[in-house]
Amino acid sequence: MSVEALSSVEDARDQNREFARLLEINAFDFIDFGCSIGGSIEQTMQIVPGARGLGIDIDSKKIEAIRSAGHDALEADARYLRATGKQVRFAVLSHFLEHLPAVKDANLCLRSAAEIASEFVMVRQPSFDADGYLFGKGLKTYWSDWHGHPNRMTSLELQLAFEDLLKRGLVKKYGIYQTGKITNARHSAIHPLASPQDQGGYDKAIHPVKKATRLPFNQPVFKEVHAIADLDGGGYVFDLFAKAFPGANCLYVSP
């Protein structure tokens, strides 16, 4: 996903006018930031059955694809998205933040999500926490050096972002979790450093040889990081997350 700044203040106003119009005439349950071609909306509808979402993406071709699949979507730069009051029940940012230019852009989107939603916010992204550990072993996860992932936020950076929202009174409680544990280098997500950038799963037929693949990792390595925030104090999102991701490793839950 390419992310470019809006060309003018008027462009930002235009996208927010259209956003407000869509929210006014439709009963949306959630906003999907960075909806791409609709996968995250469909995943969310499985987690929250019956929920209706509005997808947001900056890529016009993806907007065409998601609309063709029968979903509602708006072409907009989510960094400049604003709404008046609590317009939807919840917001989803699934495999979106890593595509933004920097942490400050992610923080803007997280704040917007917390301002727009009334009940909760759910974030899902690749895990970059083990990059240094794997580098020391001559390894990497295949997503960690994608050109399309300039914002490789760690769990700590997510925690700092949500702590700021907590202090602003936008969040009542939040938690950071990991899923998809990787125990050794045999996992298809693990590549040797010599592998080219922008790869998918490891394939020994086309990628360089991995060494010591059977030795277990002695530090936690996971595929994904999730951050969830309870906005109204009801705690519903924690039960929802536990049901959707049983066995997730809890890193931190705010007091």
Side-chain angles (χ1 to χ4, degrees):
M1 176 180 63
S2 100
V3 180
E4 302 291 342
L6 292 174
S7 60
S8 70
V9 172
E10 189 56 37
D11 286 341
R13 289 173 180 165
D14 286 345
Q15 80 165 29
N16 282 302
R17 288 190 195 103
E18 179 61 12
F19 184 49
R21 187 188 72 82
L22 288 172
L23 292 175
E24 183 178 350
I25 65 176
N26 295 279
F28 293 116
D29 295 289
F30 68 97
I31 303 296
D32 181 0
F33 287 69
C35 62
S36 189
I37 60 173
S40 54
I41 280 187
E42 292 169 2
Q43 290 170 1
T44 302
M45 291 169 66
Q46 293 176 0
I47 295 172
V48 188
R52 182 185 178 190
L54 173 64
I56 306 294
D57 205 282
I58 199 170
D59 189 320
S60 59
K61 292 182 179 179
K62 290 180 178 179
I63 291 296
E64 290 177 10
I66 191 173
R67 286 174 177 166
S68 296
H71 299 296
D72 297 287
L74 171 66
E75 182 181 345
D77 188 330
R79 294 175 295 171
Y80 306 101
L81 205 63
R82 297 293 179 269
T84 303
K86 302 293 188 178
Q87 301 289 328
V88 293
R89 290 175 48 212
F90 62 98
V92 175
L93 302 91
S94 181
H95 288 268
F96 165 63
L97 296 181
E98 67 271 20
H99 296 285
L100 295 171
V103 171
K104 63 181 179 62
D105 300 291
N107 290 343
L108 282 174
C109 291
L110 288 170
R111 180 171 179 178
S112 180
E115 290 173 342
I116 291 169
S118 62
E119 295 182 9
F120 61 88
V121 172
M122 299 181 73
V123 174
R124 184 176 184 177
Q125 68 164 52
S127 175
F128 302 102
D129 291 348
D131 284 358
Y133 169 71
L134 292 173
F135 178 79
K137 289 183 170 293
L139 301 168
K140 62 183 178 182
T141 53
Y142 68 78
W143 55 81
S144 290
D145 62 358
W146 280 9
H147 285 95
H149 289 174
N151 180 39
R152 303 179 183 101
M153 288 182 79
T154 64
S155 295
L156 176 59
E157 287 170 315
L158 281 169
Q159 188 268 337
L160 292 172
F162 277 96
E163 191 65 23
D164 178 66
L165 296 178
L166 187 73
K167 291 176 180 177
R168 293 177 183 272
L170 294 171
V171 166
K172 300 294 185 184
K173 190 174 183 178
Y174 67 89
I176 312 288
Y177 301 84
Q178 298 167 308
T179 59
K181 188 172 185 178
I182 300 172
T183 57
N184 58 54
R186 295 181 68 181
H187 196 287
S188 63
I190 304 298
H191 279 246
L193 286 176
S195 276
Q197 289 182 262
D198 302 322
Q199 300 300 296
Y202 180 79
D203 183 343
K204 65 180 181 181
I206 61 173
H207 293 128
V209 174
K210 290 191 284 189
K211 297 179 181 179
T213 57
R214 299 195 180 195
L215 292 176
F217 292 145
N218 55 24
Q219 290 188 25
V221 180
F222 286 85
K223 292 180 69 176
E224 293 186 312
V225 171
H226 305 249
I228 57 175
D230 176 12
L231 306 181
D232 64 0
Y236 172 60
V237 66
F238 289 96
D239 295 333
L240 197 67
F241 180 80
K243 183 178 180 180
F245 300 97
N249 181 57
C250 179
L251 281 175
Y252 180 81
V253 175
S254 64

